[in-house]
Amino acid sequence: MEASTAAVVYDGQKQRFDLGVFVGDLPLDDDVASDNESLDGLQQELEDCKNDEEVANILANGIKLRDYTKGVENSIRQVELDSIQDYITESENLVLLHDQICDCDNILSQMETVLTGFQTEIGSISSEIKVLQEKSMDMGLKLKNRKAAESKLSKFVEDIIVPPRMIDIIVDGEVNDEYMRTLDILSKKIKFIEADSMVKSSKALKDVQPEVERLRQKAVSKIFEFVIQKFYALRKPKTNIQILQQSVLKYKYIIIFLKEHAKEIHAEVRTAYIDTMNKVLSAHFRAYIQALEKLQLDIATSTDLLGVETRTTGYLFSIGKEPLKARSSVFALGERINILKDIDQPALIPHIAEAKSQKYPYEVLFRSLQKLLIDTATSEYLFSDDFFGEESLFQDIFAGPIQVVDEYFNDVLLNCYDAIGIMLMIRIIHQHQLIMFRRRIPCLDSYLDKVNMSLWPRFKMVFDLHLNSLRNANIKTLWEDDVHPHYVTRRFAEFTASLVHLNVEYGDGQLDLNLDRLRMAIEDLLVKLAKMFPKPKLQTVFLINNYDLTIAILKEATSDGGKAQLHFEEVLKSNIAIYVEELLLEHFCDLIKFVKTRTSEDTGASSDKTSIVDVEPLVKDFASRWKAAIELMHKDVITSFSNFLCGMEILKAALTQLLLYYTRLTECVKRINGGSALNKDLVSISSILYEIKKYSRTF
């Protein structure tokens, strides 16, 4: 290749340039016009770039613009020459690269032709695939439709066909779990035939329906015989009804089958069960009641009232044929309260109790009978609901048993004069209502409410008999010449304590009002009896003894004793104060009168009026016999009061009051002129206190 020329590739064409010509085109150093134009342009650029840091640096170093410009141009020219030389050096490689590019272009052109053929072929394949896809979708839809038709047809055949095995079980099989499952299948077939309109128009139904109907009739007949036999088994003596019912529960589907496919037979079965259980349970409760009657212990009669005199009734624990222990329960609750603690215990077994010769108050028999009733009712209610699916069935079944229990209960209640027993029965019914509520069994709600409504009027009637016996009591026949507690008071206290105890957890306001009426009646009676004593002191002692006994018995019933106890405590306190004054007046009458008279007057005036002559007999009399008088007071208290502790408290109060009176006397003596002469006769307060403490040690 010539040195004066260089091969340059430009836009894919090989061009040749004359190097000399190219160089000749460059500006020369002596070309002045061109330099002037360049300088003018440079001057303008310098003016525009005067703020440029590089330009400012050049100007600052004192470099001439022309020289600097020439240096830059020479550098550019040198770079340009170097670049041309690089192109000349690489010219062969550039030609080779050009040839390679042309070869690649040819290859790519061939590939384009091949790919265009592929694209054409792929387009035809895509059309074929689309046709196949449409055929596939069409075949899939046909398959889906055929499967759906096959499924419906298979279901139809399965629902309508009657397998030989099913016929054998229905006709000849025993009623068991397999029979129940086969009945369920038959029921579905019957429902299918009756419900589907398309089935009714099918020719297959004409062949199958008569067979299905015959199977239904055969199944109904066999079920009816089976169930009736089970029901009749309940009538056998000594049959455990609950166990038999539980064994029948596993066959409850047969009742569902009858209810759906043989309503008339279902009604007959239902009626047969109601009739059977009504008679069986009625007979069962009738026999149980007859057995209970032999165990009944009569507690009270119409004459066993609070205000009735003992001699006319033969009472105090000795009426008629009843034992003493039984008669003590007429007014006292005692161990009878335990019946409420044993409320959920099983019912009595009469023949066991009879073998032991045991007798029970009626509330025990009442609890046992009601317990048996609610347990039997609970079992029957649950069975009726589970087996027949009808809660209302219970009322028809239990109409007879409840009537039997009602008749017996009403007969007993008409002759019941045991108020405590009636109140216990009221509490028993309340507890049984709670038991049924916790069981969530509402079937006996109306019955229990009715029994409760029967008990309250009877209790009120018997309670009013007691109340009227106090109000209308014959004072002359009741009075006894004895200051100790009257037997009527003990009756009242025990009776009130019993009812208070039974009302603790219930807070029955009506009962509280009745007890207030009873309390006022006994107070009036005691006051009337007290007036029969000739001496006021004996009257007070009688009242104190009776009030104290009442309080003691009421305290045993409850911790606070209720309103009645608080009332009697106030009355007792006031009567003790009266007795103390009467006792002191009996032994120190002059001393007490003197002190009361003097202390009622002005202190200064009384000291002027009182002389040593007035007090000297009192001082000497007290000094001579105060110990003997206290001993007499002690004996009087011991013999007068039944409650020793109460008596000692009364004696202590009397001695304390005596000390107070004597202290006032000594103060009066000290204020009298010449009273110091009596100091030798005055008893020291410490001596009296010592004597009081000595009697205090005895209790």
Side-chain angles (χ1 to χ4, degrees), residues 309-311 475-483 486-487 529 533 542:
E309 195 264 325
T310 55
R311 289 187 293 270
I475 304 300
K476 294 181 179 179
T477 58
L478 288 179
W479 184 76
E480 296 176 349
D481 192 8
D482 187 358
V483 296
H486 199 278
Y487 59 83
L529 289 173
F533 291 96
F542 174 78

Side-chain angles (χ1 to χ4, degrees), residues 216-233:
R216 184 193 70 82
Q217 293 176 0
K218 182 61 179 178
V220 169
S221 175
K222 180 173 285 192
I223 289 171
F224 180 75
E225 292 177 2
F226 176 80
V227 174
I228 294 300
Q229 287 178 1
K230 291 290 184 182
F231 291 169
Y232 283 162

Side-chain angles (χ1 to χ4, degrees), residues 71-197:
V72 171
E73 289 179 350
N74 291 333
S75 297
I76 292 172
R77 186 177 291 111
Q78 184 61 40
V79 170
E80 185 178 8
L81 291 174
D82 291 342
S83 176
I84 293 170
Q85 187 62 37
D86 289 339
Y87 274 107
I88 294 171
T89 304
E90 296 294 331
S91 61
E92 293 181 0
N93 293 334
L94 292 172
V95 172
L96 180 60
L97 178 61
H98 179 265
D99 294 339
Q100 291 176 351
I101 291 173
C102 290
D103 293 339
C104 288
D105 188 45
N106 293 330
I107 293 170
L108 290 173
S109 177
Q110 294 174 3
M111 290 181 66
E112 181 181 5
T113 303
V114 173
L115 291 174
T116 301
F118 283 163
Q119 183 178 9
T120 303
E121 291 179 2
I122 289 172
S124 63
I125 292 172
S126 175
S127 299
E128 292 177 1
I129 290 174
K130 185 175 181 181
V131 172
L132 291 175
Q133 184 179 6
E134 291 176 354
K135 290 182 179 180
S136 175
M137 292 176 63
D138 184 56
M139 292 175 66
L141 181 60
K142 290 179 180 179
L143 178 61
K144 182 179 179 181
N145 292 336
R146 288 177 181 179
K147 284 184 176 180
E150 181 186 5
S151 176
K152 290 186 177 181
L153 184 59
S154 175
K155 182 69 168 57
F156 173 79
V157 172
E158 181 182 352
D159 289 340
I160 202 170
I161 195 171
V162 181
R165 175 63 179 166
M166 187 176 77
I167 297 174
D168 293 339
I169 294 174
I170 295 295
V171 175
D172 301 323
E174 295 182 358
V175 180
N176 51 25
D177 293 340
E178 185 182 15
Y179 196 89
M180 298 295 104
R181 292 192 294 269
T182 307
L183 271 184
D184 185 37
I185 297 172
L186 178 60
S187 175
K188 291 177 180 177
K189 292 184 182 298
I190 296 173
K191 291 178 181 177
F192 177 73
I193 292 173
E194 293 176 350
D196 198 329
S197 58

Side-chain angles (χ1 to χ4, degrees), residues 354-365:
E354 189 175 359
K356 296 179 181 178
S357 300
Q358 292 179 329
K359 297 283 186 178
Y360 301 96
Y362 180 68
E363 70 268 10
V364 177
L365 308 183

Side-chain angles (χ1 to χ4, degrees), residues 380-399:
E380 187 60 39
Y381 178 84
L382 295 175
F383 175 79
S384 299
D385 184 36
D386 197 2
F387 190 68
F388 287 95
E390 300 180 42
E391 296 178 0
S392 59
L393 199 69
F394 172 85
Q395 301 300 333
D396 296 330
I397 294 171
F398 251 71

Side-chain angles (χ1 to χ4, degrees), residues 585-633:
L585 283 172
E586 185 177 340
H587 296 281
F588 302 100
C589 181
D590 295 336
L591 169 63
I592 293 172
K593 288 181 178 180
F594 175 81
V595 171
K596 287 185 175 181
T597 303
R598 295 301 181 270
T599 53
S600 62
E601 300 174 358
D602 181 73
T603 305
S606 62
S607 60
D608 294 338
K609 295 179 181 179
T610 305
S611 64
I612 194 171
V613 177
D614 297 327
V615 299
E616 183 177 8
L618 298 176
V619 171
K620 290 184 177 181
D621 178 67
F622 184 85
S624 63
R625 64 182 187 86
W626 70 278
K627 288 186 178 182
I630 290 177
E631 178 63 26
L632 291 174
M633 290 168 60

